[in-house]
Structure formats: structure tokens, C-alpha cells
Amino acid sequence: MSEFTDPSAPARHPAAPAPESETERQLQEADLIAETGSIRPQNAKHLIHCLTIIGQIEGHYILSSENKTTKYEHIIPALIAIEQDRSIEGLMILLNTVGGDVEAGLAIAEMIAGMETPTVSLVLGGGHSIGVPLAVSAKRSFIVPSATMTIHPVRTNGLVVGVPQTFAYFNQIQNRITEFITRCSHIQSERLLSLMHCTDELATDIGSILTGEEAVSEGLIDQLGGLHDAISCLYQLIEAAPIRYPDASAP
């Protein structure tokens, strides 16, 4: 039996998906910020991804809920997505961290250093301890005048086995961090080690605290500047960079 169709009835069309409302888009952006501390501005000269690394770097152990943390299991997949996303032209990394898990922080720093995406870091407030490798991992690093950076040797809290192998392991970790910092900045390894083992500045530890100007003069950070300076530099890197993933089908 054939179906009767009223010729006067309006034509039926497949239901089209409703356009995403402005409210829904803002809620998605808010969820992204809450989950990973990241945001992508849409109405800008270039599409950049803003990534914040704040509080303590949380690694293999979950920190107290009272601590402000940056979780490496959030940051690492985000960096992979950013590197593959053709619409993202650059990455801005904002740092205000007291340090944290050494291996997690160094892993994030190595991933940033290995990105082809143009990257710029800006130290706000502090870039302490393992925050130093994170700050220098970008292709260009900035620090505001009021920020500080603490440089000290690797240390641990709690019970350790007091055998030579333990101290040899700490020394190995320290060498990895020192090699990375000197590879990604302009400071010499001898000067870096001298700052790490300074006994005149920290009351309960050895190490050095560098102001923004001192970090630049030591060759640790590339340039003194604020947000506008960092964004302008990132735009220059974007405009000078080759296309990361050219379409193979294009002539």
C-alpha cells in the first residue's frame, strides 16, 4: 500500500543540528578552564592556546585538596592535542608555580621543548624549583619584574635509604635538570651549579632566589616583559614559522 501524501503539506527536511548557542560555548570554555587551566581566544589576530601552570606540579602522588595543583595527566594530553591541532597557531604558557614533582615537571618541560608549535612562556609571581625548566622550555621566555625564581638542588622529604646508591640517584636527577636548563637557556652549567649551591640566601636550604632582572642578566630567561610583550613575541614567532602540517593534497 502506498503512503498518501498531502501535496499542500510543507515539505519535510532532515532535522539539522541546532547551532551552538553563545551560552553553551561559554560554559564549555569555563569547563576547559576549570579542568586544565587552558583557554583559546577566538577573536584575535592569531589563534593561540593559553596554558597556565600554577601551584604545585602534581605527579605520581595525589596532593591534598587544599593545595592548588597542576596535574601532569591533564597537561601532557593537552600538549599533544595542541601540537596536532592545525587551527592553533601558538602556545602561551603562564607560570606561577612553587615547583613540585621533579619527574612530572621535567616531562612536561621536555614535551614543550619538543613542540614545533611556536611557544612563549611568561613567569608571573614565581617560577621556583622545577618551575625553572618549565620556564625555559619555551622557544622564548619572559619574566615580569616583580617575579622571582628559586634555584636549588634536588631534595626530598621523608625517609630515605642512607646508602651511596640513593645519593648517586639524586645526583643523576640533578644532572638531568642541569643539562635541560643549560640546553634551553643561555646560562652556563658552572654558573647554574654555583647558584644552586649558594649558602647565603635561603635560611633553611641552599640555593638562590633571582628577581626578574637577575634571571635575565644570568641568561636564564630571555627577556624582561609583561603580557603584551609576550603576546607580541608569540605573534612574531607565528608569522615567521613555516606551516607545521602542510596539506599533502595541496599543489
Side-chain angles (χ1 to χ4, degrees), residues 36-218:
T36 65
S38 304
I39 188 171
R40 278 189 280 172
Q42 299 297 324
N43 186 21
K45 181 179 179 182
H46 294 287
L47 182 59
I48 65 174
H49 188 104
C50 178
L51 182 70
T52 58
I53 299 178
I54 58 175
Q56 283 187 267
I57 309 300
E58 186 178 274
H60 303 299
Y61 299 97
I62 298 175
L63 298 175
S64 168
S65 59
E66 297 179 356
N67 292 354
K68 180 71 70 175
T69 63
T70 295
K71 301 178 184 296
Y72 84 127
E73 67 267 28
H74 291 167
I75 299 297
I76 288 178
L79 292 174
I80 295 174
I82 292 165
E83 179 74 352
Q84 295 183 92
D85 194 333
R86 299 188 185 195
S87 66
I88 298 176
E89 299 175 83
L91 173 63
M92 172 67 67
I93 305 154
L94 302 181
L95 284 149
N96 188 4
T97 176
V98 296
D101 188 286
V102 171
E103 290 194 345
L106 194 58
I108 296 171
E110 285 282 11
M111 290 198 67
I112 295 172
M115 296 177 72
E116 191 176 357
T117 304
T119 55
V120 168
S121 65
L122 176 60
V123 180
L124 303 164
H128 306 297
S129 191
I130 200 62
V132 176
L134 289 166
V136 304
S137 63
K139 291 177 172 58
R140 188 76 179 173
S141 57
F142 286 78
I143 187 170
V144 297
S146 62
T148 58
M149 304 184 76
T150 303
I151 303 173
H152 62 74
V154 171
R155 67 241 176 123
T156 187
N157 297 323
L159 182 67
V160 296
V161 180
V163 294
Q165 291 89 336
T166 299
F167 298 102
Y169 175 67
F170 285 166
N171 188 59
Q172 184 186 57
I173 296 175
Q174 186 64 67
N175 290 338
R176 290 162 55 197
I177 295 172
T178 302
E179 187 277 330
F180 180 87
I181 294 174
T182 54
R183 169 162 46 98
C184 296
S185 68
H186 302 290
I187 193 170
Q188 299 298 316
S189 59
E190 295 81 7
R191 179 55 181 164
L192 181 60
L193 291 172
S194 175
L195 292 170
M196 284 182 177
H197 295 95
C198 179
T199 59
D200 301 332
E201 294 193 26
L202 302 178
T204 59
D205 199 357
I206 62 173
S208 301
I209 300 176
L210 303 179
T211 64
E213 289 188 7
E214 291 171 338
V216 174
S217 65
E218 293 285 357

